[in-house]
Amino acid sequence: MVKRKPAVSTDVFDTIRYQSLTVPATREILQGELKDLFDYWTTLRGIRGIPPWSAFEWARVPARLVQQCAVVEVRRHPLDFVYIHWGVGRTIMQGANYTGKSVREFRPKRIAEKAIHEYAEAMTQRTAICVRTERLESDQSPAFDYQFLRLPFSDDGSDVHQILGVGLYDESVMKKAFAFYGTSPRTAIDLDAVIRLLDPDTCRKSRP
């Protein structure tokens, strides 16, 4: 288990503060559809240490999560994590499409550093990890909490070659995340449309 100290950083997004805790993922500690995705990863793994990416099927991922998923390819000599998949929900929420780019290019830089540590943890431990981030905030945005799941995959059953990451956001958390990344839609109508895109449950709840 790896416990992160409170982090403070200054970059173009003002001062960023958060606390996070990284632990091996188990079904008991995961929330909502993250449990189902973890179960699918566990089934793919079987008796192997790490499941093969070639066996992964997007159709098996809960619909609510697909648009929030990102996948990095692990590169070595030098070590780097390059996005080979970036969900449309992330593009909307974080204001950019990082497909084909290194995590080092992600902004704000402090969140890139946070992600690098988490990818390295999943690669080193060769197992799924759960990251609980609390009170992520900047000087310009309110604090929010979220849970993140990172799942390693392998081409040879030994080394980690891909890592899938996805966070779980409800409506209130998404609104705060938009504010944090400075991507808030200009009108309430736009915001409602985006939330329906990212969270199908919200749309279903609004129906009579």
Side-chain angles (χ1 to χ4, degrees):
M1 181 173 67
V2 177
K3 187 172 184 178
R4 308 288 184 207
K5 295 181 179 179
V8 177
S9 176
T10 301
D11 62 20
V12 296
F13 280 68
D14 301 305
T15 302
I16 293 173
R17 298 170 292 273
Y18 68 85
Q19 296 182 344
S20 67
L21 178 67
T22 302
V23 298
T26 64
R27 197 177 197 282
E28 289 70 28
I29 64 174
L30 292 171
Q31 301 172 354
E33 292 94 336
L34 294 183
K35 293 179 184 287
D36 300 325
L37 181 56
F38 177 74
D39 287 345
Y40 173 50
W41 179 85
T42 301
T43 299
L44 287 178
R45 181 177 61 173
I47 62 174
R48 296 178 291 248
I50 315 173
W53 179 247
S54 59
F56 180 82
E57 298 179 5
W58 284 107
R60 297 289 302 275
V61 179
R64 183 184 178 191
L65 300 183
V66 170
Q67 300 183 70
Q68 291 291 347
C69 285
V71 181
V72 294
E73 177 181 82
V74 180
R75 298 184 181 177
R76 296 171 171 83
H77 313 300
L79 179 65
D80 201 1
F81 304 99
V82 176
Y83 291 105
I84 59 174
H85 174 84
W86 186 264
V88 65
R90 290 202 174 198
T91 298
I92 294 171
M93 181 179 291
Q94 293 163 334
N97 185 342
Y98 287 91
T99 305
K101 297 181 180 181
S102 167
V103 67
R104 301 173 191 274
E105 299 179 62
F106 188 86
R107 294 296 180 268
K109 291 182 179 179
R110 185 61 191 129
I111 302 303
E113 294 169 4
K114 178 178 182 293
I116 288 170
H117 283 295
E118 293 167 9
Y119 284 132
E121 185 77 9
M123 182 189 71
T124 302
Q125 298 299 323
R126 301 173 65 252
T127 192
I129 62 170
C130 172
V131 183
R132 174 67 180 175
T133 301
E134 298 179 343
R135 298 200 59 77
L136 176 62
E137 61 183 343
S138 73
D139 288 347
Q140 305 301 318
S141 64
F144 62 98
D145 304 340
Y146 65 96
Q147 187 178 73
F148 219 87
L149 177 63
R150 299 199 186 274
L151 302 170
F153 293 83
S154 177
D155 293 335
D156 59 14
S158 178
D159 294 327
V160 174
H161 295 101
Q162 301 87 14
I163 303 172
L164 183 152
V166 61
L168 189 65
Y169 308 93
D170 61 21
E171 180 178 351
S172 63
V173 169
M174 279 192 283
K175 289 181 178 179
K176 293 176 182 178
F178 285 133
F180 177 80
Y181 287 105
T183 54
S184 295
R186 289 173 295 180
T187 70
I189 294 176
D190 289 341
L191 181 57
D192 289 342
V194 169
I195 289 174
R196 285 197 297 272
L197 172 63
L198 300 184
D199 184 2
D201 287 347
T202 301
C203 184
R204 284 194 290 271
K205 291 175 184 177
S206 66
R207 292 173 183 168

